[in-house]
Amino acid sequence: MNKPAFDEMNPGPGATAGVREHYRTYAAWLARQSPETMAARREEAEMIFRRVGITFAVYGAKDEDGAGTERLIPFDVIPRIIPRHEWNEMQAGLRQRVTALNRFLHDVYHGQEILKAGLVPAEQVLNNAQYRREMAGVEVPGGVYSHIAGIDIVRAAEPDGSGRYYVLEDNLRVPSGVSYMLENRKMTMRLFPELFSLHRVAPVARYPDLLLDTLRSVAPAGVNEPNVVVLTPGMYNSAYFEHAFLAQQMGVELVEGQDLFVRGGQVYMRTTQGPRRVDVIYRRVDDDFLDPMTFRADSTLGCAGLLDVYRAGRITLANAIGTGIADDKSIYPYVPKMIEFYLGEKPILANVPTWLCRDQADLAYVLDHLGELVVKEVHGAGGYGMLVGPAATKAEIEAFRGVLKAHPANYIAQPTLALSTCPTYVESGIAPRHIDLRPFVLSGKTVRMVPGGLTRVALKEGSLVVNSSQGGGTKDTWVLED
């Protein structure tokens, strides 16, 4: 925690150059802007985002009247800039990693060769709540299980002063945030059009077209003109804006479970012109709620009989049921072995060192070093259910120690990385804040992505938690063509 963070724009004290090369044009422009101008642009962005309705629901939070609250994800007007050579290497690493994860998913639901080889403990897969036995032997088009992956990348300072990229998490179920990536770019172009004549910024606007092409490419065999829909839990879901946004951008229908039904071994959508067959469902509904006949009987969010149609190969679900086993945090430490096992390659992107608390030796180390580590729930998300040791009080550490001893298999631990910082416009002016990056990787007949992704920023000084639900914001992410 005491290690200095790598700053994306400024090398820091003692450096020969005041600004990193790929930021120099932007830094010169920024120096010419008055504080009043930047403050006005930030207020304009907030007003436009509110008018468009770019908000997210906060579960458990209530307003003064006791109603659920919706919040604006703060948008920072200073972009995060990545030079092309760094992106090229990251892109190769992402393609490699997601390909191996899809191979792993196919394997654990079929031959289980990696388990037989002893590279991943069988009990950690087969006894895991995220492993769906209903998917055993089910063939999915092209062997692709995670069609849309959001891989969380962080950067930490190396001893020589450079910054190294690490994969922090693999999000392979229903990753969110891509709408903010797209809207942030539109906002930056609107607020600062002159910047795009000074920089050759790789475009991201084609993501909806790539997404639709990916979804169509994995349609069931024999379907030439697939009908694609986006399945949402409804308007009260925290990411509903994104569901509606992506459906609109792709030109496809946004549906809820009550809009779908099964007849004659096919899934249909109710329309004013009568039933219409559905071939591909981009589902933003968790596994448990997809089919009340197979999973949770009390679910009203899915479609009864959906799994039977899926097993018969007459509908494609993106992402596939059962992908959660590959982004479970207790499986994460084995991804480098998966890359070597399935692809015969060394990992391009490194993992963060991880202790599995289910292992007695690892648990003993973690309990002895709680004040130094980040401890996470293996099924957790959104920054909840975790302990950031260096930022916790003694009482919080001791309380967490009791939970960890009672349920060690539910947790992993990692070193507290000093996430890289990026200049950020906050109330006091421009100051460094910690960031991460979530690129979105699309897997169909090929693996593709748009340059960059969603940069999330921890707006509280010193905070390492970038999640929007925990007060984080977002930035536009530029990959320079030069």
Coordinates of all heavy atoms in Angstrom, one line a residue, residues 230-292:
V230 N -32.9 -9.1 -26.8 CA -32.2 -8.8 -25.6 C -33.2 -9.1 -24.4 O -34.3 -8.5 -24.4 CB -31.7 -7.4 -25.4 CG1 -31.0 -7.2 -24.1 CG2 -30.7 -7.1 -26.6
L231 N -32.9 -10.0 -23.5 CA -33.7 -10.4 -22.4 C -33.3 -9.6 -21.2 O -32.2 -9.8 -20.7 CB -33.7 -11.9 -22.2 CG -34.5 -12.4 -21.0 CD1 -36.0 -12.1 -21.1 CD2 -34.2 -13.9 -20.8
T232 N -34.2 -8.8 -20.6 CA -33.9 -8.0 -19.5 C -34.8 -8.5 -18.3 O -35.9 -8.9 -18.5 CB -34.2 -6.5 -19.7 OG1 -33.9 -5.8 -18.5 CG2 -35.6 -6.3 -20.2
P233 N -34.3 -8.3 -17.1 CA -35.2 -8.6 -15.9 C -36.3 -7.6 -15.7 O -37.2 -7.8 -15.0 CB -34.2 -8.6 -14.7 CG -32.9 -8.7 -15.3 CD -32.9 -8.1 -16.6
G234 N -36.1 -6.4 -16.4 CA -37.1 -5.3 -16.3 C -36.5 -4.0 -15.9 O -35.3 -3.9 -15.6
M235 N -37.3 -3.0 -15.8 CA -36.9 -1.6 -15.6 C -36.3 -1.4 -14.2 O -35.6 -0.4 -14.0 CB -38.0 -0.7 -15.8 CG -39.2 -0.8 -14.9 SD -40.5 0.3 -15.3 CE -39.8 1.9 -15.0
Y236 N -36.5 -2.3 -13.3 CA -36.0 -2.1 -11.9 C -34.6 -2.7 -11.8 O -34.0 -2.6 -10.7 CB -36.9 -2.7 -10.9 CG -38.3 -2.0 -10.9 CD1 -39.4 -2.6 -11.4 CD2 -38.4 -0.6 -10.4 CE1 -40.6 -1.9 -11.4 CE2 -39.6 0.0 -10.5 CZ -40.7 -0.6 -11.0 OH -41.9 0.0 -11.0
N237 N -34.1 -3.3 -12.8 CA -32.7 -3.9 -12.7 C -31.7 -2.7 -12.8 O -31.9 -1.7 -13.5 CB -32.5 -4.8 -13.9 CG -31.1 -5.5 -13.9 OD1 -30.2 -5.0 -14.5 ND2 -31.0 -6.5 -13.1
S238 N -30.6 -2.9 -12.1 CA -29.6 -1.8 -12.0 C -29.0 -1.4 -13.4 O -28.6 -0.3 -13.6 CB -28.5 -2.2 -11.1 OG -27.8 -3.3 -11.5
A239 N -29.0 -2.3 -14.3 CA -28.4 -2.1 -15.6 C -29.4 -2.0 -16.7 O -29.1 -2.1 -17.9 CB -27.4 -3.2 -16.0
Y240 N -30.7 -1.6 -16.3 CA -31.8 -1.6 -17.3 C -31.5 -0.6 -18.5 O -31.7 -0.9 -19.6 CB -33.1 -1.2 -16.7 CG -34.2 -1.2 -17.7 CD1 -34.8 -2.3 -18.2 CD2 -34.8 0.0 -18.1 CE1 -35.8 -2.3 -19.2 CE2 -35.8 0.1 -19.1 CZ -36.3 -1.1 -19.6 OH -37.3 -1.1 -20.5
F241 N -30.9 0.6 -18.1 CA -30.5 1.5 -19.2 C -29.7 0.8 -20.2 O -29.9 1.0 -21.4 CB -29.8 2.7 -18.6 CG -29.1 3.5 -19.7 CD1 -29.8 4.4 -20.5 CD2 -27.7 3.4 -19.9 CE1 -29.2 5.1 -21.5 CE2 -27.1 4.0 -20.9 CZ -27.8 4.9 -21.7
E242 N -28.7 0.1 -19.8 CA -27.8 -0.6 -20.8 C -28.6 -1.6 -21.6 O -28.3 -1.7 -22.8 CB -26.7 -1.3 -20.0 CG -25.7 -2.1 -21.0 CD -24.4 -2.2 -20.4 OE1 -23.7 -1.2 -20.2 OE2 -24.0 -3.4 -20.1
H243 N -29.5 -2.4 -21.0 CA -30.2 -3.4 -21.8 C -31.0 -2.7 -22.9 O -31.0 -3.1 -24.1 CB -31.2 -4.1 -20.9 CG -30.5 -4.7 -19.7 ND1 -31.3 -5.2 -18.6 CD2 -29.2 -4.9 -19.4 CE1 -30.4 -5.6 -17.7 NE2 -29.2 -5.5 -18.1
A244 N -31.7 -1.6 -22.5 CA -32.5 -0.9 -23.5 C -31.6 -0.2 -24.6 O -31.9 -0.2 -25.8 CB -33.4 0.2 -22.8
F245 N -30.5 0.3 -24.1 CA -29.6 1.0 -25.0 C -29.0 0.1 -26.1 O -29.0 0.4 -27.3 CB -28.4 1.6 -24.2 CG -27.3 2.2 -25.0 CD1 -27.4 3.6 -25.4 CD2 -26.2 1.5 -25.3 CE1 -26.4 4.1 -26.1 CE2 -25.2 2.1 -26.1 CZ -25.3 3.4 -26.5
L246 N -28.6 -1.1 -25.7 CA -28.0 -2.1 -26.6 C -29.0 -2.6 -27.6 O -28.7 -2.8 -28.8 CB -27.3 -3.2 -25.8 CG -26.0 -2.8 -25.1 CD1 -25.5 -4.0 -24.3 CD2 -24.9 -2.3 -26.1
A247 N -30.2 -2.9 -27.1 CA -31.3 -3.3 -28.0 C -31.6 -2.3 -29.0 O -31.7 -2.6 -30.2 CB -32.5 -3.7 -27.2
Q248 N -31.7 -1.0 -28.6 CA -32.0 0.0 -29.5 C -30.8 0.2 -30.6 O -31.0 0.4 -31.8 CB -32.2 1.3 -28.8 CG -32.6 2.5 -29.6 CD -31.5 3.3 -30.1 OE1 -30.4 3.4 -29.5 NE2 -31.6 3.9 -31.3
Q249 N -29.6 0.1 -30.1 CA -28.4 0.3 -30.9 C -28.3 -0.8 -32.0 O -27.8 -0.6 -33.1 CB -27.1 0.4 -30.1 CG -27.0 1.7 -29.3 CD -26.8 2.9 -30.1 OE1 -25.8 3.0 -30.9 NE2 -27.6 3.9 -30.0
M250 N -28.7 -2.0 -31.6 CA -28.6 -3.2 -32.5 C -29.8 -3.3 -33.4 O -29.8 -4.0 -34.3 CB -28.4 -4.5 -31.7 CG -27.1 -4.7 -31.1 SD -26.8 -6.3 -30.4 CE -27.9 -6.4 -29.0
G251 N -30.9 -2.5 -33.0 CA -32.1 -2.6 -33.8 C -32.9 -3.9 -33.6 O -33.5 -4.5 -34.5
V252 N -32.8 -4.5 -32.3 CA -33.5 -5.7 -32.0 C -34.5 -5.4 -30.9 O -34.4 -4.4 -30.2 CB -32.5 -6.8 -31.6 CG1 -31.5 -7.0 -32.7 CG2 -31.8 -6.5 -30.3
E253 N -35.3 -6.4 -30.6 CA -36.4 -6.2 -29.6 C -35.8 -6.4 -28.2 O -35.0 -7.3 -27.9 CB -37.5 -7.2 -29.8 CG -38.3 -7.0 -31.0 CD -39.1 -5.7 -31.0 OE1 -39.4 -5.2 -29.9 OE2 -39.4 -5.1 -32.1
L254 N -36.2 -5.6 -27.2 CA -35.9 -5.8 -25.8 C -37.2 -6.5 -25.2 O -38.3 -6.0 -25.3 CB -35.7 -4.4 -25.2 CG -35.5 -4.4 -23.6 CD1 -34.1 -5.0 -23.4 CD2 -35.6 -3.0 -23.1
V255 N -36.9 -7.6 -24.6 CA -38.0 -8.4 -24.1 C -37.8 -8.8 -22.6 O -36.7 -8.8 -22.1 CB -38.2 -9.7 -24.9 CG1 -38.5 -9.4 -26.4 CG2 -37.0 -10.7 -24.7
E256 N -38.9 -9.0 -22.0 CA -38.9 -9.6 -20.6 C -39.4 -11.0 -20.7 O -40.0 -11.5 -21.7 CB -39.8 -8.8 -19.7 CG -39.3 -7.3 -19.5 CD -40.1 -6.5 -18.5 OE1 -40.7 -7.1 -17.6 OE2 -40.1 -5.3 -18.7
G257 N -39.2 -11.8 -19.6 CA -39.6 -13.2 -19.6 C -41.1 -13.4 -20.0 O -41.4 -14.4 -20.7
Q258 N -42.0 -12.5 -19.6 CA -43.4 -12.6 -19.9 C -43.7 -12.5 -21.4 O -44.8 -12.8 -21.9 CB -44.2 -11.6 -19.1 CG -43.9 -10.2 -19.5 CD -44.4 -9.2 -18.5 OE1 -45.0 -9.6 -17.5 NE2 -44.3 -7.9 -18.8
D259 N -42.7 -11.9 -22.2 CA -42.9 -11.8 -23.6 C -42.5 -13.0 -24.4 O -42.8 -13.1 -25.6 CB -42.0 -10.6 -24.1 CG -42.3 -9.3 -23.5 OD1 -43.5 -9.0 -23.3 OD2 -41.4 -8.5 -23.1
L260 N -42.0 -14.0 -23.7 CA -41.5 -15.2 -24.4 C -42.3 -16.4 -24.0 O -42.8 -16.5 -22.8 CB -40.0 -15.5 -24.1 CG -39.0 -14.4 -24.4 CD1 -37.6 -14.8 -23.9 CD2 -39.0 -14.1 -25.9
F261 N -42.4 -17.4 -24.9 CA -43.1 -18.7 -24.5 C -42.5 -19.8 -25.4 O -41.9 -19.5 -26.5 CB -44.6 -18.6 -24.6 CG -45.1 -18.4 -26.0 CD1 -45.5 -19.5 -26.8 CD2 -45.3 -17.1 -26.6 CE1 -46.0 -19.3 -28.1 CE2 -45.7 -16.9 -27.8 CZ -46.1 -18.0 -28.6
V262 N -42.7 -21.0 -25.0 CA -42.2 -22.2 -25.7 C -43.4 -22.9 -26.3 O -44.4 -23.2 -25.6 CB -41.4 -23.1 -24.8 CG1 -41.1 -24.4 -25.5 CG2 -40.1 -22.4 -24.4
R263 N -43.3 -23.3 -27.6 CA -44.3 -24.1 -28.3 C -43.7 -24.9 -29.3 O -42.9 -24.4 -30.1 CB -45.4 -23.1 -28.9 CG -46.5 -23.9 -29.6 CD -47.4 -23.0 -30.5 NE -48.1 -22.1 -29.6 CZ -48.7 -21.0 -30.1 NH1 -48.6 -20.7 -31.4 NH2 -49.4 -20.2 -29.3
G264 N -44.0 -26.2 -29.3 CA -43.5 -27.1 -30.4 C -41.9 -27.1 -30.4 O -41.4 -27.2 -31.5
G265 N -41.3 -27.0 -29.3 CA -39.8 -27.1 -29.2 C -39.1 -25.9 -29.7 O -37.9 -25.9 -30.0
Q266 N -39.8 -24.7 -29.8 CA -39.2 -23.5 -30.2 C -39.6 -22.4 -29.2 O -40.6 -22.5 -28.5 CB -39.7 -23.0 -31.6 CG -39.3 -24.0 -32.7 CD -37.9 -23.9 -33.2 OE1 -37.2 -23.1 -32.7 NE2 -37.5 -24.8 -34.1
V267 N -38.7 -21.4 -29.2 CA -39.0 -20.2 -28.3 C -39.7 -19.1 -29.2 O -39.1 -18.9 -30.3 CB -37.8 -19.6 -27.7 CG1 -38.1 -18.4 -26.9 CG2 -37.2 -20.7 -26.7
Y268 N -40.7 -18.5 -28.8 CA -41.4 -17.5 -29.5 C -41.5 -16.2 -28.7 O -41.6 -16.3 -27.4 CB -42.8 -17.9 -29.9 CG -42.8 -19.0 -31.0 CD1 -42.8 -20.4 -30.6 CD2 -42.8 -18.7 -32.3 CE1 -42.8 -21.4 -31.5 CE2 -42.8 -19.7 -33.3 CZ -42.8 -21.0 -32.9 OH -42.8 -22.0 -33.8
M269 N -41.7 -15.1 -29.4 CA -41.9 -13.8 -28.8 C -43.3 -13.3 -29.1 O -43.7 -13.4 -30.3 CB -40.8 -12.8 -29.3 CG -41.1 -11.4 -29.0 SD -39.7 -10.3 -29.6 CE -39.8 -10.7 -31.4
R270 N -44.0 -12.8 -28.2 CA -45.3 -12.3 -28.4 C -45.2 -10.9 -29.1 O -44.4 -10.1 -28.6 CB -46.1 -12.1 -27.1 CG -46.5 -13.4 -26.5 CD -47.3 -13.2 -25.2 NE -47.7 -14.5 -24.7 CZ -47.1 -15.3 -23.8 NH1 -45.9 -14.9 -23.4 NH2 -47.5 -16.4 -23.4
T271 N -45.8 -10.7 -30.2 CA -45.8 -9.4 -30.9 C -47.3 -9.0 -31.2 O -48.2 -9.9 -31.2 CB -45.0 -9.4 -32.1 OG1 -45.7 -10.1 -33.2 CG2 -43.6 -10.1 -31.9
T272 N -47.5 -7.8 -31.6 CA -48.8 -7.3 -32.0 C -49.2 -8.0 -33.3 O -50.4 -8.1 -33.7 CB -48.9 -5.8 -32.2 OG1 -47.8 -5.4 -33.1 CG2 -48.7 -5.1 -30.9
Q273 N -48.3 -8.6 -34.1 CA -48.6 -9.3 -35.3 C -48.7 -10.8 -35.1 O -48.8 -11.6 -36.1 CB -47.5 -9.0 -36.4 CG -47.6 -7.6 -37.0 CD -47.0 -6.5 -36.2 OE1 -46.0 -6.8 -35.6 NE2 -47.7 -5.4 -36.1
G274 N -48.6 -11.2 -33.8 CA -48.6 -12.6 -33.5 C -47.3 -13.2 -33.1 O -46.3 -12.4 -33.1
P275 N -47.2 -14.5 -32.8 CA -45.9 -15.0 -32.3 C -44.8 -14.9 -33.4 O -45.1 -15.1 -34.6 CB -46.2 -16.5 -32.1 CG -47.7 -16.5 -31.9 CD -48.3 -15.5 -32.8
R276 N -43.6 -14.6 -32.9 CA -42.4 -14.6 -33.8 C -41.3 -15.4 -33.2 O -41.0 -15.3 -32.0 CB -42.0 -13.2 -34.0 CG -40.8 -13.0 -35.0 CD -40.3 -11.6 -35.2 NE -39.2 -11.5 -36.1 CZ -38.4 -10.5 -36.2 NH1 -38.7 -9.4 -35.4 NH2 -37.4 -10.5 -37.0
R277 N -40.7 -16.3 -34.0 CA -39.7 -17.2 -33.5 C -38.5 -16.4 -33.1 O -38.1 -15.5 -33.7 CB -39.3 -18.3 -34.5 CG -38.5 -19.4 -34.0 CD -38.1 -20.4 -35.1 NE -37.0 -19.8 -35.9 CZ -36.6 -20.2 -37.0 NH1 -37.2 -21.3 -37.6 NH2 -35.6 -19.6 -37.7
V278 N -37.8 -16.9 -32.0 CA -36.6 -16.3 -31.5 C -35.5 -17.3 -31.6 O -35.7 -18.5 -31.3 CB -36.7 -15.9 -30.0 CG1 -35.4 -15.3 -29.5 CG2 -37.8 -14.8 -29.9
D279 N -34.3 -16.9 -32.1 CA -33.2 -17.8 -32.4 C -32.0 -17.6 -31.4 O -31.3 -18.5 -31.1 CB -32.8 -17.6 -33.8 CG -33.9 -17.9 -34.8 OD1 -34.4 -19.0 -34.8 OD2 -34.2 -16.9 -35.5
V280 N -31.8 -16.3 -31.1 CA -30.7 -16.0 -30.2 C -31.2 -15.0 -29.1 O -31.8 -14.0 -29.4 CB -29.5 -15.3 -31.0 CG1 -28.3 -15.0 -30.0 CG2 -29.1 -16.2 -32.1
I281 N -30.9 -15.3 -27.9 CA -31.2 -14.5 -26.8 C -30.0 -14.0 -26.1 O -29.2 -14.7 -25.6 CB -32.1 -15.2 -25.7 CG1 -33.4 -15.8 -26.3 CG2 -32.4 -14.3 -24.5 CD1 -34.2 -16.6 -25.4
Y282 N -29.7 -12.6 -26.2 CA -28.7 -12.0 -25.4 C -29.3 -11.8 -24.0 O -30.0 -10.8 -23.8 CB -28.2 -10.7 -26.1 CG -27.2 -10.0 -25.3 CD1 -26.4 -10.6 -24.3 CD2 -27.0 -8.6 -25.5 CE1 -25.4 -9.8 -23.6 CE2 -26.0 -7.9 -24.8 CZ -25.3 -8.5 -23.9 OH -24.3 -7.8 -23.2
R283 N -29.0 -12.6 -23.1 CA -29.7 -12.6 -21.8 C -28.9 -11.8 -20.8 O -27.8 -12.0 -20.6 CB -30.1 -14.0 -21.4 CG -28.9 -15.0 -21.3 CD -28.3 -15.1 -19.9 NE -27.4 -16.2 -19.7 CZ -27.0 -16.7 -18.6 NH1 -27.6 -16.3 -17.5 NH2 -26.1 -17.6 -18.5
R284 N -29.6 -10.9 -20.1 CA -29.1 -10.2 -19.0 C -29.7 -10.6 -17.7 O -29.9 -9.8 -16.8 CB -29.2 -8.7 -19.3 CG -28.6 -8.2 -20.5 CD -27.0 -8.4 -20.5 NE -26.4 -7.6 -19.6 CZ -25.8 -6.4 -19.8 NH1 -25.7 -5.9 -21.0 NH2 -25.2 -5.7 -18.8
V285 N -30.1 -11.9 -17.7 CA -30.8 -12.5 -16.5 C -29.9 -13.6 -16.0 O -29.4 -14.4 -16.8 CB -32.2 -13.0 -16.9 CG1 -32.8 -13.8 -15.8 CG2 -33.1 -11.9 -17.4
D286 N -29.7 -13.7 -14.7 CA -28.8 -14.8 -14.2 C -29.4 -16.2 -14.4 O -30.6 -16.3 -14.5 CB -28.6 -14.5 -12.7 CG -27.8 -13.3 -12.4 OD1 -27.0 -12.9 -13.3 OD2 -27.9 -12.7 -11.3
D287 N -28.5 -17.1 -14.4 CA -28.9 -18.6 -14.6 C -30.1 -19.0 -13.8 O -31.1 -19.6 -14.3 CB -27.8 -19.5 -14.2 CG -26.6 -19.5 -15.2 OD1 -26.7 -18.8 -16.2 OD2 -25.6 -20.2 -14.9
D288 N -30.1 -18.7 -12.5 CA -31.2 -19.1 -11.6 C -32.6 -18.7 -12.0 O -33.5 -19.4 -11.6 CB -30.9 -18.7 -10.2 CG -29.8 -19.5 -9.5 OD1 -29.5 -20.6 -9.9 OD2 -29.2 -18.9 -8.5
F289 N -32.7 -17.7 -12.8 CA -34.0 -17.1 -13.1 C -34.4 -17.3 -14.5 O -35.5 -16.9 -14.9 CB -34.0 -15.6 -12.8 CG -33.6 -15.3 -11.4 CD1 -32.3 -15.0 -11.0 CD2 -34.6 -15.3 -10.4 CE1 -32.0 -14.7 -9.7 CE2 -34.3 -15.0 -9.1 CZ -33.0 -14.7 -8.7
L290 N -33.6 -18.1 -15.3 CA -33.9 -18.3 -16.7 C -35.1 -19.2 -17.0 O -35.8 -18.9 -18.0 CB -32.7 -18.8 -17.4 CG -31.6 -17.7 -17.8 CD1 -30.4 -18.4 -18.4 CD2 -32.2 -16.7 -18.8
D291 N -35.3 -20.2 -16.2 CA -36.3 -21.2 -16.5 C -36.9 -21.8 -15.2 O -36.2 -22.6 -14.6 CB -35.7 -22.4 -17.4 CG -36.8 -23.4 -17.8 OD1 -37.9 -23.3 -17.3 OD2 -36.5 -24.2 -18.7
P292 N -38.1 -21.4 -14.9 CA -38.7 -21.8 -13.6 C -39.0 -23.3 -13.6 O -39.1 -23.9 -12.5 CB -40.0 -21.0 -13.5 CG -40.3 -20.6 -14.9 CD -39.0 -20.4 -15.6

